[in-house]
Amino acid sequence: MTYLPPPAEELRFLDAELRRLDAHRAQLLARRAWLVSVLQSAAPGPAAPPFTGPAPATVPRPEASAPRVQNVLLVLGGVLLTIAAMAFTLVSWGHLGIAGRAAVLGTVTAAALAAPVPLLRRGLRSTAESVAGLGLALTVLDGYALHEAALADTDGTAYAAVAATVLAGAWAAYGTALGALRLPRPAALAAAQLPLLLTALAADAGPYGISAALLLTATADAAAALLVTSPALRPVRITAAIGAYGTGGWGLLGALWLSWTAPGPGAAARAAALLLPASAVAVTAAWRTAGTAAPGTTGATSTTGVTGTTGSAGATSTTGPTHAPAAPGTPSPALPTLPAQPLTTTLPTATALLGILVLLAALGGVLRVTLPGGWAVPGELLGALALLAALRVPGMPERVRLGVAWACAAVQGIALLWALPLVAVALFGPFGWADRPWSGRPADARDAVTVHAPWLSHSGPALAVLGLLAGALALLVRNAAWRPRALAGAAVLAWAAALSLPAALELPYVAGLLVLGLLTAAVLALPVLPPTGTVLALVTSVDLAFLALADRTATLTVLSALTVLYAAASTRPRFAPLTAPAALAYATALACATGAAAGWQPPHTALLVLVVPAVAVAVAPRLATTARGACEVTGVVAALVAVGLAVTDAPVLALVLSSLGVLAAATAVRPDRRSAGYAAAALFALAAWVRLAAWEVTAPEAYTLPVTVPALLVGAWRRRRDPLTGSWAAYGPGLAVTLLPSLAALWRDEGWPRPLLLGSAALLVTLLGARHRLRAPLVLGGAVLVLTALHELAAYLVQFADALPRWVPPALAGLLLLALGATYERRLRDVRRVRDVLGRMS
């Protein structure tokens, strides 16, 4: 029969077998890994014996490659030959006759220009480039020599223009004939930068002609950069782009200066005629450079860009050769593409930005000399806003659209900065009435805001700018993410315009106050972003309050209206965190203004100000949590104002402090404001002390006993509720408040009642501490009792010390030290025993 082991034994057998198999598998995997490493590191052929000799010396690494050395040598050779040719032409030219001159220059130039042909056939391209560069330099010397020999009487500038034109054409033809050379055609394009400029200088065309020549040259360069698309002509494209930006930049600077300094419409129109074509060229170049990539693609190709016609996946060149897509599963051919350049993404946007700014500058130059009094800025802003419609042109590349948007935004920002001084005068001007309250009603609203600042002459155009910007933000921004921010910005701009409107229109003073009051109420109820509207309303109300300081009636009326307005707005929870403190602040100002208008002294006005903290205590519990703290802080500030007004009258100050103590005690009734009870106790104590000082009471016990008795009662109540409370926390503050000031007064008192009463009280406190085993009464009472006894015996001790001989005190001190030394150990034991007894007390 087959033997079947028990399950437990069979399980142990299976576990052991599995462990054996795992160990064997690990050995096989380790062996396999070693064999793979040996096969990978083994070199073909028989294995060489290990080398035990010295290590070979390290070969120095060359710091320059062979092609670089070759290029440096060729460039140096070409430069030296060019210098030699210049020296020959400038120095030795006069020693040869006409035939010799022509023969030498002609032979050398022809040889230098012809030498690249056989060099290219032999594959010496770099040498051919160097020799060709020498030939091009010699042609320049030939032109100079021709002028000096045969055409010395002609105008040098005109001859240079003709020579540059001829050289540009000749170099271009030479480079086309020898297509393998990369230098002649860029050199021809560089020479082509000079003919128009030199012609304008020779013809004395003036600044307009010179700018036109520079801009025409830059236009030709831009056309060359856009139209040359062959990868072999990349140096030509780069040279053309550099020429377009360099020459065009100088031309634009000149045209912009002419537009800015134009004395009349005719001059401005001529400058605009220079700027408008330049703007069109820049926008066209940006459009062609950006291509037709989908919005959001970062690697869109530049169809005729100046940095290469490459792009990211999915973007193709519209002017280069096209390739059909490969079939699935077949490898894609290796196309000769250049790496993507960062300029491919930024250059179209920058160029479009430049073009639109130039267009707007041309418009601004014309408007500046045709519109009076700063109205050119609103006209320029209207032009920028109108250009925003171009963003919806179908087919516009995303980068060009971004450049147009940035240009329009830049113009709007400049216009806003231009209009801000008007808002600053209207906003901060009323603060000048702080140092001259109730000095007289001004003539109009403009005089009210120009107390310490001059008025601006362009107030009307500045208001128009603010209105246009507000309308643009409210109407043109439709993006869901940016819509709330745009509406908030539009609200702020409209508020700034409305704030500046009374002064700009020179409304009567009362009408200006009414406009600002209505603006405060309207902005407070603004449905767009309530926090923004509340802040704007608060700023407007502060401006209105300072503006009303010019007249007493206006001050009382405005402060009353603002208090009622903000108190009514505080009933809405979303406004309460700002409006409730504002209502209390304006109520405080109204109380102070009412007292001043009634002719009251400041201490009597403080009693009226006390109404504000009382209202804050009553209203705060009914407000939301976010507004409760701000309301209470404002009430505390109003209380400090009341204390400051009453500080010169001690009886009134005591009344104010006691009233504030009542308010603090009422606040401490709330469960979340228990800590206000400490403030209430402190205020009551201060009120009592001020009242005693007003009664000319000098005994410190009159100040301390009213604090000591409640403190001891509170300590007893606390120990009754919590028996673990220590005597120092329960009775220490109350006892110290009375015993210590009385002890300090004792040393300045010559009478007997105070020492007797203080000593009796200290003895009673000590006995109570010993009876109930309380540390604080025992220590404080005992210390005060000992010091009181020393004070009473001080006179006798002094007399006794005077009667003793001079040697007695040192002798007594020596005996004391000996006695202490003899009984040191026992005294220490007694001290530890006293410490333990005190430690067992609470």
Side-chain angles (χ1 to χ4, degrees):
M1 296 178 64
T2 303
Y3 172 74
L4 295 177
E9 183 178 354
E10 185 178 2
L11 181 60
R12 287 194 298 270
F13 174 80
L14 291 177
D15 290 339
E17 190 68 13
L18 288 174
R19 286 193 294 270
R20 186 184 64 81
L21 291 176
D22 290 339
H24 187 59
R25 185 174 185 273
Q27 293 176 358
L28 293 177
L29 289 176
R31 179 66 177 177
R32 181 183 181 278
W34 180 80
L35 292 174
V36 170
S37 63
V38 169
L39 291 176
Q40 290 178 351
S41 61
F51 180 74
T52 58
T58 303
V59 180
R61 182 180 178 181
E63 296 181 357
S65 61
R68 289 188 177 181
V69 175
Q70 166 191 306
N71 293 335
V72 170
L73 294 177
L74 291 175
V75 170
L76 289 177
V79 170
L80 291 177
L81 288 175
T82 303
I83 294 174
M86 292 175 61
F88 170 76
T89 304
L90 298 176
V91 178
S92 301
W93 180 257
H95 299 289
L96 299 176
I98 296 178
R101 300 172 187 174
V104 170
L105 281 179
T107 301
V108 174
T109 304
L113 294 177
V117 177
L119 292 174
L120 290 174
R121 291 176 182 175
R122 296 186 178 183
L124 302 176
R125 180 175 176 178
S126 298
T127 305
E129 293 281 358
S130 299
V131 177
L134 175 61
L136 298 181
L138 288 175
T139 56
V140 178
L141 295 178
D142 287 341
Y144 170 77
L146 178 62
H147 178 268
E148 293 296 323
L151 303 174
D153 297 333
T154 60
D155 181 64
T157 306
Y159 176 80
V162 175
T165 305
V166 173
L167 288 177
W171 291 354
Y174 181 71
T176 304
L178 299 179
L181 296 178
R182 291 178 294 181
L183 180 61
R185 280 174 287 196
L189 193 58
Q193 309 299 310
L194 300 177
L196 291 179
L197 175 62
L198 294 176
T199 301
L201 292 175
D204 197 12
Y208 288 94
I210 294 174
S211 298
L214 291 173
L215 291 176
L216 285 176
T217 304
T219 302
D221 292 334
L226 294 173
L227 297 177
V228 176
T229 59
S230 175
L233 297 179
R234 186 183 179 188
V236 177
R237 192 164 58 250
I238 295 176
T239 305
I242 295 174
Y245 283 101
T247 308
W250 287 109
L252 283 178
L253 288 177
L256 290 173
W257 176 256
L258 292 174
S259 177
W260 182 260
T261 59
R270 290 194 298 271
L274 296 176
L275 294 174
L276 292 178
S279 173
V281 170
V283 174
T284 303
W287 195 302
R288 292 289 302 274
T289 304
T292 57
T297 56
T298 58
T301 60
S302 170
T303 57
T304 54
V306 299
T307 60
T309 58
T310 63
S312 64
T316 59
S317 173
T318 59
T319 57
T322 60
H323 299 274
T330 60
S332 59
L335 300 179
T337 58
L338 297 174
Q341 301 290 335
L343 288 178
T344 308
T345 59
T346 59
L347 190 60
T349 301
T351 307
L353 172 66
L354 176 63
I356 298 302
L357 288 179
V358 170
L359 173 62
L360 294 174
L363 175 63
V366 175
L367 294 177
R368 185 183 59 83
V369 295
T370 55
L371 296 179
W375 285 98
V377 177
E380 183 89 358
L381 180 58
L382 281 175
L385 295 177
L387 279 177
L388 290 177
L391 298 178
R392 301 186 179 183
V393 174
M396 177 181 290
E398 183 66 22
R399 297 185 187 90
V400 177
R401 184 179 288 107
L402 184 61
V404 175
W406 275 110
C408 296
V411 173
Q412 295 176 44
I414 294 173
L416 178 61
L417 291 177
W418 180 80
L420 282 182
L422 173 68
V423 182
V425 172
L427 182 61
F428 299 106
F431 290 95
W433 292 103
D435 59 350
R436 53 177 72 181
W438 298 350
S439 58
R441 181 178 297 183
D444 51 38
R446 181 174 296 182
D447 291 340
V449 299
T450 54
V451 181
H452 297 300
W455 184 248
L456 303 176
S457 60
H458 57 273
S459 57
L463 285 177
V465 166
L466 295 174
L468 289 173
L469 290 175
L473 286 176
L475 299 177
L476 298 181
V477 180
R478 296 295 180 182
N479 185 275
W482 289 92
R483 182 68 176 169
R485 303 176 188 176
L487 291 179
V492 173
L493 291 173
W495 165 81
L499 184 70
S500 308
L501 188 62
L505 298 180
E506 294 185 88
L507 297 178
Y509 174 70
V510 177
L513 295 179
L514 183 60
V515 170
L516 291 185
L518 294 176
L519 178 62
T520 302
V523 174
L524 190 61
L526 191 67
V528 180
L529 293 180
T532 302
T534 307
V535 172
L536 294 180
L538 187 60
V539 174
T540 309
S541 63
V542 172
D543 206 48
L544 175 60
F546 276 95
L547 198 63
L549 284 177
D551 183 69
R552 177 184 304 175
T553 304
T555 300
L556 297 176
T557 304
V558 167
L559 291 178
S560 301
L562 291 177
T563 302
V564 173
L565 175 64
Y566 278 101
S570 300
T571 58
R572 306 175 69 178
R574 64 177 183 175
F575 293 150
L578 288 178
T579 56
L584 294 176
Y586 286 125
T588 304
L590 177 61
C592 295
T594 302
W600 295 352
Q601 294 297 323
H604 300 133
T605 304
L607 299 177
L608 184 60
V609 176
L610 284 177
V611 177
V612 179
V615 173
V617 171
V619 171
R622 296 175 175 83
L623 296 176
T625 305
T626 55
R628 190 177 304 159
C631 183
E632 291 173 344
V633 170
T634 309
V636 171
V637 174
L640 294 177
V641 172
V643 172
L645 292 173
V647 74
T648 57
D649 192 333
V652 177
L653 179 60
L655 179 59
V656 169
L657 291 173
S658 60
S659 302
L660 293 177
V662 173
L663 295 177
T667 304
V669 174
R670 293 160 46 191
D672 58 337
R673 292 292 186 268
R674 296 299 188 192
S675 58
Y678 298 103
L683 288 171
F684 282 131
L686 287 175
W689 293 349
V690 172
R691 171 54 65 182
L692 292 173
W695 288 339
E696 298 182 356
V697 176
T698 57
E701 291 79 9
Y703 298 88
T704 57
L705 284 176
V707 178
T708 298
V709 174
L712 292 177
L713 293 177
V714 171
W717 174 74
R718 183 177 178 184
R719 276 184 60 84
R720 184 175 181 181
R721 293 189 60 186
D722 185 8
L724 298 178
T725 303
S727 61
W728 284 109
Y731 304 116
L735 294 174
V737 166
T738 294
L739 294 178
L740 297 183
S742 298
L743 182 63
L746 175 66
W747 293 89
R748 301 190 303 270
D749 193 357
E750 301 295 337
W752 61 270
R754 188 187 301 275
L756 178 60
L757 294 175
L758 181 60
S760 301
L763 178 61
L764 178 61
V765 169
T766 304
L767 294 176
L768 289 175
R771 170 67 178 80
H772 297 283
R773 305 183 66 183
L774 298 175
R775 186 183 304 175
L778 183 61
V779 174
L780 286 175
V784 173
L785 181 60
V786 171
L787 292 175
T788 303
L790 289 177
H791 174 267
E792 293 304 310
L793 296 176
Y796 300 102
L797 293 176
V798 170
Q799 294 176 4
F800 179 71
D802 291 338
L804 290 176
R806 297 298 179 92
W807 55 268
V808 173
L812 293 176
L815 292 175
L816 177 63
L817 291 177
L818 289 176
L820 289 176
T823 59
Y824 182 73
E825 184 176 359
R826 197 175 83 180
R827 299 305 180 192
L828 285 179
R829 186 173 62 252
D830 295 340
V831 170
R832 292 191 187 98
R833 186 178 303 164
V834 173
R835 186 188 63 184
D836 295 338
V837 172
L838 291 175
R840 287 192 295 269
M841 295 181 181
S842 58

